[in-house]
Amino acid sequence: SILTIYTTFIYFINIILIINNKRTLYFLKKLIKSLMKNTKYIFIIFILILGFESLSAKAYYEFSPNLKKAYQAAISIKFEESKKYITKVKDEEPENLLVHYVENYVDFLKIYIDEDYNEFVKLEKNKDTRLDIIKSKGDETSPYHLYIQAEIRMHWAVARAKFGEYRTAAFEVKNAFNKLEKNQKKFPDFKANLKSLGIMHCLIGAIPDNFKWVAKLVGMSGTIEQGTREIKEVLDYAKRNEFIFKEETIVMYSLVILHIGNQAQTAWSVIRSTDLEPEKNPLICFAQASVAMHTGKTDEAIKILKKCPKGSEYHKFYYLDYMMGLCKLYKQEDDAAFYFNKFVFNFSGRHYIKECYQKLAWYELLKGNQDGYDKYMKKVLVKGHASLDGDEKAFQEAKNNEVPHVVLLKSRLLFDGGYSYKALEVLKNYNADSFEEEKDRLEYHYRKGRILQSRFQYSEAIDEFNITIEKGFFEKYYFACNAALQAGIIKENQKQYDAAKAYYNKCLDMNPSEYKTSLHSKAKAGLDRVKGK
């Protein structure tokens, strides 16, 4: 009878599922398609369809071999390759819900790299569809269930922030935080969740005190120390065990201890003492070069950027050209302009454009070409957006016609590139009275203090910083604010914690028009580190 055949079929299929669940549904679909070519098999087709329907209801979360390939291709920005594996997973493993997480990752990375608003609007529609599928079909007993919902929301929070949608981004962050916290209680040993939660705790901990109430109001809490410890725990786990998010964890830990923890050399050691391969992954190339540049290792950054793969299988990542241009400008080499022009010609996003034209103007100024400087600064006024600190600083320089003093500019760029000896050489025949403008005299003390700090001449550096703080406390420039921050870092490293606290608080007491948010965040992070010491 039909019932007997159908029951036998289901029994047989259940045995197969026990052996190899991932591919059974795929073969059933292929068999049905094959049989449908001949009408005489209509009876068998009917039975197979009934069986297929009974077996296809159970959704699951699994990083199957093809999904792992899709994920690795995604984080290597091989988007087309990733999409091919995603399609294959959807075809062969239609109930594997992790595919929606990887597919979302591709959308997010593309938006983050390109900054194309039209693409953002187009792809943003996919978010709710994916979340609805996961929430309605997902297995709530899996640690991935809440985790990937939180990750998807975090992806879109970052993407929204790119385009100034801060209120909606804040809602996404709050939602993600709640899910991560809940998931951590349900699955305390699930390291992927701890990775993301640790990052959230670090970011919340770095919020300046005057905005802390906002986080508390919506029930979000965390400290830099807590978050750093959590990410470090995940990193230690990844070194001993197979962990698909290992690369993510290494990069995030490095960036956290660099930008929030003020541990530049530790960040460099972490990101270079691993098996990360920048020659195979542009994102790894970006992360390693970024840490190198922030630690004054320009020559290393150039070597890393030159390793970056440029095959047609990789998505275009034009920001790397801007980074190379910066490295070349720090060294004051002639081909800096080539990389800057390549960036502004190809990149259609909204950030770093003003800053890039400013750097082209500086390049011309160093060459003694005032007309070239003026030409590019006019472009700063009309190109790009002034939403990031660097772009805003470039815009203010152009708007106020604040032409940098060539001597100070040359010294600054050499210092930023890690060439402190050359930077000091540029200033050796000058003192504060050599400069007519008060701004330039203030900058002279600040620049000299930064150079002396990098050369471990801390006593002399503190003297220069104190002069900068005294003369620039009420000025709009960032020199005094950062001088206080750097003096605090010196005192903290010398274990003079009371002095460190005093300098960090001085930093928070100042209100420069430039870099205020980032400087205050770092000072707050410093106070958190020395709390109770």
Side-chain angles (χ1 to χ4, degrees):
S1 68
I2 292 176
L3 180 61
T4 303
I5 296 172
Y6 177 68
T7 305
T8 305
F9 171 80
I10 294 300
Y11 178 75
F12 174 70
I13 290 299
N14 281 331
I15 294 173
I16 296 175
L17 282 173
I18 294 170
I19 300 170
N20 190 356
N21 181 58
K22 295 191 294 295
R23 300 190 58 83
T24 301
L25 297 179
Y26 170 70
F27 285 125
L28 276 173
K29 287 173 68 179
K30 297 285 282 187
L31 180 58
I32 290 171
K33 288 178 182 178
S34 176
L35 290 172
M36 285 178 70
K37 294 177 182 178
N38 195 323
T39 56
K40 71 179 182 180
Y41 294 121
I42 189 68
F43 177 69
I44 299 175
I45 292 169
F46 174 72
I47 294 175
L48 285 173
I49 289 174
L50 287 175
F52 181 80
E53 290 297 321
S54 70
L55 293 169
S56 61
K58 185 66 174 177
Y60 60 94
Y61 300 100
E62 182 182 353
F63 268 110
S64 61
N66 280 329
L67 196 55
K68 284 182 180 179
K69 291 174 183 176
Y71 170 77
Q72 290 299 333
I75 64 171
S76 300
I77 66 172
K78 295 180 180 179
F79 296 149
E80 294 308 312
E81 180 181 329
S82 182
K83 288 175 183 177
K84 288 178 183 177
Y85 282 114
I86 287 169
T87 299
K88 194 169 186 176
V89 171
K90 285 185 173 182
D91 190 29
E92 298 181 11
E93 310 165 46
E95 298 304 320
N96 189 349
L97 298 186
L98 271 178
V99 72
H100 301 293
Y101 161 73
V102 178
E103 190 173 35
N104 195 79
Y105 218 147
V106 173
D107 285 356
F108 160 67
L109 288 173
K110 191 173 189 303
I111 292 168
Y112 187 85
I113 291 169
D114 293 347
E115 296 186 3
D116 184 333
Y117 183 72
N118 291 330
E119 191 77 2
F120 165 75
V121 172
K122 173 186 170 184
L123 296 177
E124 195 270 341
K125 298 173 184 176
N126 297 329
K127 184 203 75 170
D128 288 336
T129 301
R130 290 168 185 149
L131 288 174
D132 286 344
I133 292 171
I134 292 165
K135 286 187 283 187
S136 63
K137 298 178 69 176
D139 178 5
E140 295 185 7
T141 65
S142 169
Y144 280 109
H145 183 65
L146 290 175
Y147 171 73
I148 64 171
Q149 292 180 58
E151 286 286 285
I152 289 172
R153 289 198 176 275
M154 279 302 300
H155 289 166
W156 286 101
V158 175
R160 291 183 191 286
K162 277 275 186 182
F163 300 103
E165 295 187 5
Y166 300 115
R167 177 174 291 186
T168 312
F171 171 77
E172 302 274 26
V173 169
K174 165 62 177 169
N175 192 300
F177 181 81
N178 287 345
K179 283 180 169 55
L180 291 172
E181 287 268 281
K182 183 178 179 180
N183 207 38
Q184 191 62 30
K185 292 176 182 177
K186 289 179 69 175
F187 307 100
D189 296 325
F190 185 52
K191 300 303 180 185
N193 197 83
L194 189 61
K195 163 192 67 82
S196 298
L197 192 58
I199 294 166
M200 295 278 277
H201 286 152
C202 282
L203 294 175
I204 293 166
I207 297 173
D209 281 340
N210 54 327
F211 292 107
K212 209 77 167 181
W213 63 272
V214 178
K216 290 180 179 178
L217 187 67
V218 295
M220 295 171 63
S221 63
T223 66
I224 295 167
E225 182 182 5
Q226 174 190 11
T228 304
R229 184 178 65 251
E230 288 166 342
I231 303 171
K232 180 65 165 56
E233 179 183 330
V234 178
L235 184 59
D236 290 341
Y237 171 85
K239 290 177 180 177
R240 301 188 307 268
N241 302 274
E242 183 180 348
F243 186 57
I244 194 165
F245 303 112
K246 181 179 179 179
E247 290 181 344
E248 274 189 52
T249 307
I250 293 168
V251 169
M252 294 311 302
Y253 182 66
S254 300
L255 295 178
V256 163
I257 61 177
L258 171 67
H259 294 292
I260 298 178
N262 283 313
Q263 301 175 52
Q265 297 307 318
T266 303
W268 175 246
S269 298
V270 168
I271 206 163
R272 288 293 282 173
S273 63
T274 62
D275 53 359
L276 300 181
E277 298 178 296
E279 62 274 10
K280 294 182 180 179
N281 188 334
L283 283 180
I284 296 300
C285 180
F286 159 75
Q288 284 193 345
S290 181
V291 174
M293 291 171 70
H294 277 88
T295 51
K297 294 177 171 56
T298 297
D299 293 330
E300 285 291 333
I302 291 173
K303 290 178 184 177
I304 293 166
L305 290 168
K306 284 182 177 179
K307 290 180 181 178
C308 188
K310 296 177 174 63
S312 59
E313 67 270 32
Y314 296 96
H315 190 73
K316 298 297 184 184
F317 197 175
Y318 294 115
Y319 183 73
L320 299 180
D321 292 319
Y322 177 67
M323 293 175 71
M324 181 65 89
L326 276 180
C327 290
K328 295 290 186 172
L329 186 63
Y330 293 154
K331 296 190 76 171
Q332 295 169 33
E333 294 185 346
D334 290 338
D335 55 347
F338 168 80
Y339 291 101
F340 288 138
N341 279 310
K342 187 179 177 183
F343 173 72
V344 294
F345 179 78
N346 289 296
F347 186 60
S348 58
R350 56 176 56 193
H351 300 128
Y352 313 109
I353 299 295
K354 290 185 182 297
E355 196 173 359
C356 190
Y357 278 118
Q358 178 201 43
K359 299 306 183 288
L360 279 165
W362 287 0
Y363 173 85
E364 296 297 336
L365 196 62
L366 292 175
K367 297 292 183 184
N369 183 2
Q370 182 67 44
D371 290 340
Y373 173 85
D374 293 338
K375 179 186 78 170
Y376 284 119
M377 291 309 286
K378 286 177 182 176
K379 292 193 175 189
V380 172
L381 291 171
V382 297
K383 302 285 187 178
H385 292 68
S387 51
L388 295 183
D389 275 350
D391 288 322
E392 173 63 24
K393 180 71 171 66
F395 179 73
Q396 291 301 324
E397 181 182 321
K399 180 182 176 183
N400 300 326
N401 195 28
E402 296 177 341
V403 183
H405 195 289
V406 174
V407 170
L408 294 172
L409 178 60
K410 186 177 290 188
S411 179
R412 170 188 180 171
L413 291 170
L414 287 167
F415 169 77
D416 287 346
Y419 308 108
S420 60
Y421 177 78
K422 291 181 179 179
L424 195 58
E425 280 289 298
V426 170
L427 296 180
K428 73 175 183 180
N429 294 323
Y430 296 86
N431 57 44
D433 294 332
S434 303
F435 304 94
E436 294 182 6
E437 300 291 332
E438 181 62 33
K439 171 185 177 293
D440 294 337
R441 289 194 288 270
L442 185 65
E443 184 174 357
Y444 169 81
H445 288 295
Y446 169 73
R447 297 285 169 214
K448 194 170 182 183
R450 292 289 279 132
I451 294 167
L452 291 168
Q453 177 188 15
S454 71
R455 296 178 62 78
F456 310 109
Q457 296 173 243
Y458 295 131
S459 178
E460 296 93 329
I462 291 290
D463 290 341
E464 296 293 342
F465 287 149
N466 283 336
I467 295 171
T468 308
I469 294 166
E470 180 185 353
K471 294 182 178 295
F473 192 92
F474 297 105
E475 296 289 343
K476 65 180 180 179
Y477 311 110
Y478 72 94
F479 305 131
C481 192
N482 198 29
L485 173 66
Q486 298 303 323
I489 291 171
I490 291 173
K491 292 300 182 181
E492 180 185 351
N493 290 336
Q494 293 176 336
K495 302 188 185 307
Q496 298 179 31
Y497 299 120
D498 288 339
K501 291 174 188 176
Y503 278 118
Y504 288 141
N505 281 314
K506 280 184 180 181
C507 176
L508 292 171
D509 288 339
M510 285 181 260
N511 291 289
S513 60
E514 311 160 322
Y515 307 123
K516 174 184 171 181
T517 301
S518 60
L519 292 174
H520 281 193
S521 293
K522 290 178 180 179
K524 175 61 176 61
L527 285 172
D528 282 350
R529 290 194 302 273
V530 300
K531 187 184 297 182
K533 293 183 178 178

